Amino acid sequence: MGRATARAPMEKPSALKAPLFRSLVERLEAGGRHVILDLGAASNPMLALLGQFRCRVDIADLASDGGLERMNADAEGDDLVARAESLLPRLRANDAGYDLVYCWDLPNYLKPAALSALMSAIAARTGRTGLLAHALIVYSERTMPERPGGWVPMEDLTLVDRNGTSAEVKAPRYSPEDLGRMMSGFEIDRARLLANGMQEMLFRLPM
């Protein structure tokens, strides 16, 4: 994603109001059983939040163990989709598939072909229509932390990035039009500009 440059040490992370994240929690509160894929690292706050509802949560920490590097390495077409599939949790027998995916800020760190392959692999795992994918896209800033954030929910459903980093890289600043081409059939459902300059986006796999 570009050469990392040093920056001043981060202060205590501030809470970020994320209305679309809140709306997804309200959707869980409405009832029903949900199967969720979390593309970030497992965190106690997130697991505690989802544990209040009838959820099964699969974790696929793509930012660890070289997942990002593997996805961004040279490959194309079916080979790249197969690589994405190998990084996702193993499918379970008689599984109806996911209905909600938390991408966090991971899309900013994937090349266009890699993001398309990942979302293709995810879409192929669901037998349900209306699969939703939540993402935080770097929008107004020209740089971003060199690694994806460690986003966790607070009790008031704001989000905090607990990772922190002392270096930044150039941000791709994917536009909504870029994402419309790269998300493998997912369509933009809603978008909100957040206080930190990120665009909070909700994508839906059409019926």
Side-chain angles (χ1 to χ4, degrees), residues 70-71 73 75-88 113-125 184:
R70 287 177 62 191
M71 285 303 301
E76 59 184 27
D78 292 342
D79 290 341
L80 195 49
V81 174
R83 187 181 300 172
E85 174 66 32
S86 72
L87 294 170
L88 296 174
L115 179 56
S116 291
L118 175 63
M119 299 313 294
S120 237
I122 291 172
R125 284 168 163 255
S184 297

Side-chain angles (χ1 to χ4, degrees), residues 110-134:
L110 289 169
K111 294 178 180 179
L115 179 56
S116 291
L118 175 63
M119 299 313 294
S120 237
I122 291 172
R125 284 168 163 255
T126 186
R128 309 179 185 195
T129 55
L131 170 64
L132 294 173
H134 176 269

Side-chain angles (χ1 to χ4, degrees), residues 166-185:
S166 59
E168 292 186 339
V169 295
K170 184 179 179 180
R173 301 175 73 193
Y174 293 136
S175 68
E177 291 76 20
D178 293 331
L179 292 165
R181 292 189 294 268
M182 292 157 51
M183 292 292 287
S184 297

Side-chain angles (χ1 to χ4, degrees), residues 4-182:
T5 57
R7 65 174 180 172
M10 292 185 66
E11 299 177 357
K12 182 179 178 180
S14 57
L16 181 66
K17 291 183 178 179
L20 299 185
F21 178 81
R22 176 181 287 275
S23 74
L24 292 178
V25 176
E26 292 169 350
R27 183 171 179 264
L28 297 177
E29 290 174 340
R33 184 176 184 272
H34 299 271
V35 183
I36 297 172
L37 175 63
D38 190 333
L39 298 182
S43 74
N44 289 334
M46 188 64 176
L47 293 176
L49 173 64
L50 297 178
Q52 301 175 58
F53 312 113
R54 292 180 59 212
C55 293
R56 194 195 85 212
V57 184
D58 286 348
I59 304 293
D61 184 4
L62 295 192
S64 298
D65 300 324
L68 277 177
E69 290 74 15
R70 287 177 62 191
M71 285 303 301
N72 284 329
D74 291 338
E76 59 184 27
D78 292 342
D79 290 341
L80 195 49
V81 174
R83 187 181 300 172
E85 174 66 32
S86 72
L87 294 170
L88 296 174
R90 183 174 299 177
L91 286 172
R92 305 186 188 187
N94 302 317
D95 201 330
Y98 301 118
D99 55 2
L100 177 58
V101 181
Y102 288 105
C103 301
W104 305 112
D105 58 352
L106 188 74
N108 302 292
Y109 297 87
L110 289 169
K111 294 178 180 179
L115 179 56
S116 291
L118 175 63
M119 299 313 294
S120 237
I122 291 172
R125 284 168 163 255
T126 186
R128 309 179 185 195
T129 55
L131 170 64
L132 294 173
H134 176 269
L136 299 170
I137 305 299
V138 178
Y139 184 72
S140 61
E141 297 294 329
R142 295 186 178 275
T143 61
M144 64 185 185
E146 64 177 335
R147 300 291 296 176
W151 297 94
V152 297
M154 301 291 100
E155 289 186 4
D156 61 358
L157 299 183
T158 57
L159 297 175
V160 167
D161 178 6
R162 286 189 172 172
N163 276 3
T165 180
S166 59
E168 292 186 339
V169 295
K170 184 179 179 180
R173 301 175 73 193
Y174 293 136
S175 68
E177 291 76 20
D178 293 331
L179 292 165
R181 292 189 294 268
M182 292 157 51

